[in-house]
Amino acid sequence: MVIIILIAITLILTAAVLVWNTMDKNSNSAIGSEDTAKPISSQQVKDNTVIVKEIVTNLNASSTTVIRVSLAFQLENEKTKKDFENLLESYVKGTIIQTLNDLKVDQIKGKQGSDDLAASLMNQLNPLFQNGKIKRIDVTDKVIN
């Protein structure tokens, strides 16, 4: 009976270690994928960047606070840039406006607010692209009235 219990505990611990390692590799690849990639030139960054200028909308639908924001989307490759440009007027701008409409002034202020907006947009937009992904989103202009 003791041997059976020891074998069961060993199997459970082995499974737990395997699951832990798998989860750890997945999270490291998501976080560190940019760090391990080869450096790219400034010309490549420029060629794969799309700037969305001056989107104006109100924050939190019940508020009278208005935000004007411009964003720079750095894309992984030319195919992703083309896909992005095809979806820009319809889906991308609509997603940006919907995301801003859900935010309150406190949620968008400062660096943390800009980072949260970029992360939220990246999570919503990346599933659209089959040939790559959005590598980075920078808030290039933000005015809250």
Side-chain angles (χ1 to χ4, degrees):
M1 190 65 147
V2 172
I3 293 174
I4 293 174
I5 292 173
L6 289 174
I7 291 173
I9 291 172
T10 303
L11 290 174
I12 291 170
L13 289 175
T14 303
V17 168
L18 289 174
V19 169
W20 181 266
N21 285 339
T22 303
M23 290 174 50
D24 191 39
K25 284 180 186 176
N26 288 342
S27 66
N28 284 342
S29 66
I31 293 170
S33 62
E34 252 183 76
D35 297 335
T36 58
K38 64 179 183 172
I40 58 175
S41 70
S42 59
Q43 185 62 43
Q44 288 172 316
V45 171
K46 181 181 177 187
D47 291 343
N48 292 329
T49 299
V50 176
I51 296 176
V52 179
K53 293 184 179 179
E54 292 196 16
I55 292 181
V56 180
T57 187
N58 59 325
L59 290 175
N60 195 345
S62 64
S63 171
T64 58
T65 304
V66 175
I67 185 169
R68 183 185 72 202
V69 65
S70 297
L71 302 164
F73 292 84
Q74 183 185 348
L75 304 155
E76 199 168 54
N77 55 46
E78 287 292 324
K79 289 181 180 179
T80 309
K81 182 179 179 182
K82 186 174 180 179
D83 289 346
F84 185 89
E85 289 171 340
N86 289 337
L87 294 170
L88 180 61
E89 292 301 320
S90 59
Y91 194 81
V92 174
K93 284 187 177 180
T95 301
I96 294 169
I97 289 171
Q98 287 176 349
T99 302
L100 290 170
N101 285 338
D102 289 341
L103 297 175
K104 296 178 183 172
V105 176
D106 295 340
Q107 293 173 309
I108 193 68
K109 280 188 176 179
K111 181 183 179 332
Q112 185 63 42
S114 295
D115 290 345
D116 291 345
L117 174 63
S120 177
L121 290 173
M122 198 174 293
N123 289 335
Q124 292 177 41
L125 294 173
N126 266 336
L128 296 175
F129 307 112
Q130 297 173 357
N131 298 316
K133 63 181 182 177
I134 299 170
K135 291 177 70 174
R136 181 181 174 133
I137 300 174
D138 291 308
V139 177
T140 57
D141 183 31
K142 179 174 69 172
V143 178
I144 303 171
N145 293 328

